[in-house]
Amino acid sequence: MKSLTRVSVVAGTAASAVLLLSAVPAFAHVSVSPEGEAAKGGYATVNFKVPNERDDASTTKLEVTFPADQPLASVMTQPVPGWKAKVTKTKLKKPIEIHGEKIDEAVSKVVWTADGKGIEPGTFQKFPLSLGQLPEDADQMVFKALQTYSNKDVVRWIEPQQKGAEEPEFPAPALALSAPSEDHHGGAGSDDKSDDKDKAAAKSDAKSGGKEESASDSDSSDTTARTLGIVGIVVGAAGVAFGVLAGRRRVNS
């Protein structure tokens, strides 16, 4: 009986542990996502999102390394209050050509360093970048990110996601690339085309409106002319009838 009781207690404890572990949420990690879309061969604005997972330290530094086999000629930072950004470029072993211009160096790393409190516990920060031209022959770009805390701890988000495998403990930020757009400018061209279409539609409406107004004026003029013509005929007929009657009276008298 005692053995049975012990087995029951152990089983219950194990079940409780499983439930407790399954209830614990997965830790957030450094990630990257586009504003809108990141089309192959185009330009895009992306945000590196950095959450603070510590209760006793702030994030004071973020270092993002770009994939060497997918060089980007254009990388621009956006000012982030309380942070300083440094862009590092590296000479390419093989120059690339963009818009007919040969590029022999590309951005290899961007480092943001806090000049204040940094990312405090329970908060997160976004770090925007403008990137281009994005690769035309890849479905994603994988970056490596190092997150440094105020207590000197460094978390290395550098493990790539393997197809069909579970998410690694420290996944590297991965930017998914969508199908190439026609203008290769991250959708800006489509907005311009929409504006052109709207303008053309407005002009068409204005022209059609003018034609409708002219047609309306013409119809009104035709109606007035017809009315006056009918009135004239009636008056003329009345005059003829009056003249006939007057002649008959003279004859009879």
Side-chain angles (χ1 to χ4, degrees), residues 25-235:
F27 287 113
H29 53 78
V30 175
S31 60
V32 59
S33 60
E35 291 183 5
E37 66 175 9
K40 297 178 181 179
Y43 292 79
T45 298
V46 304
N47 287 301
F48 284 88
K49 182 180 178 181
V50 183
N52 192 333
E53 299 177 340
R54 303 295 175 84
D55 295 329
D56 56 352
S58 297
T59 295
T60 56
K61 184 179 180 181
L62 173 67
E63 179 179 327
V64 174
T65 301
F66 288 70
D69 58 342
Q70 296 172 322
L72 299 177
S74 175
V75 176
M76 293 187 292
T77 62
Q78 178 177 310
V80 178
W83 294 81
K84 293 181 180 179
K86 180 182 179 181
V87 179
T88 301
K89 293 185 177 182
T90 302
K91 286 284 185 180
L92 297 175
K93 294 180 179 180
K94 183 180 179 180
I96 58 177
E97 187 172 328
I98 298 179
H99 299 308
E101 182 181 355
K102 287 188 176 181
I103 306 297
D104 61 357
E105 65 178 9
V107 172
S108 58
K109 185 185 299 183
V110 178
V111 178
W112 289 272
T113 305
D115 56 10
K117 294 182 179 179
I119 307 172
E120 298 185 90
T123 65
F124 71 89
Q125 177 67 55
K126 289 183 178 181
F127 298 90
L129 286 179
S130 174
L131 308 178
Q133 276 181 289
L134 300 174
E136 297 181 347
D137 55 355
D139 294 326
Q140 67 174 2
M141 293 186 70
V142 180
F143 303 85
K144 293 182 178 181
L146 302 183
Q147 181 179 9
T148 302
Y149 286 89
S150 56
N151 59 5
K152 306 303 179 183
D153 284 350
V154 178
V155 181
R156 302 169 62 84
W157 304 101
I158 61 173
E159 299 175 12
Q161 174 69 54
Q162 301 298 332
K163 188 175 181 180
E166 294 183 359
E167 184 180 66
E169 185 177 1
F170 300 99
L175 175 66
L177 304 180
S178 60
S181 60
E182 294 181 0
D183 49 46
H184 278 197
H185 285 3
S190 60
D191 292 339
D192 294 339
K193 290 178 182 177
S194 298
D195 291 341
D196 292 340
K197 289 181 180 179
D198 292 341
K199 291 178 181 178
K203 290 182 180 179
S204 177
D205 291 342
K207 289 181 180 179
S208 62
K211 290 180 180 178
E212 290 175 359
E213 184 177 355
S214 298
S216 178
D217 292 344
S218 177
D219 291 344
S220 179
S221 299
D222 291 344
T223 301
T224 302
R226 288 173 186 171
T227 302
L228 291 176
I230 293 172
V231 171
I233 292 173
V234 172
V235 172

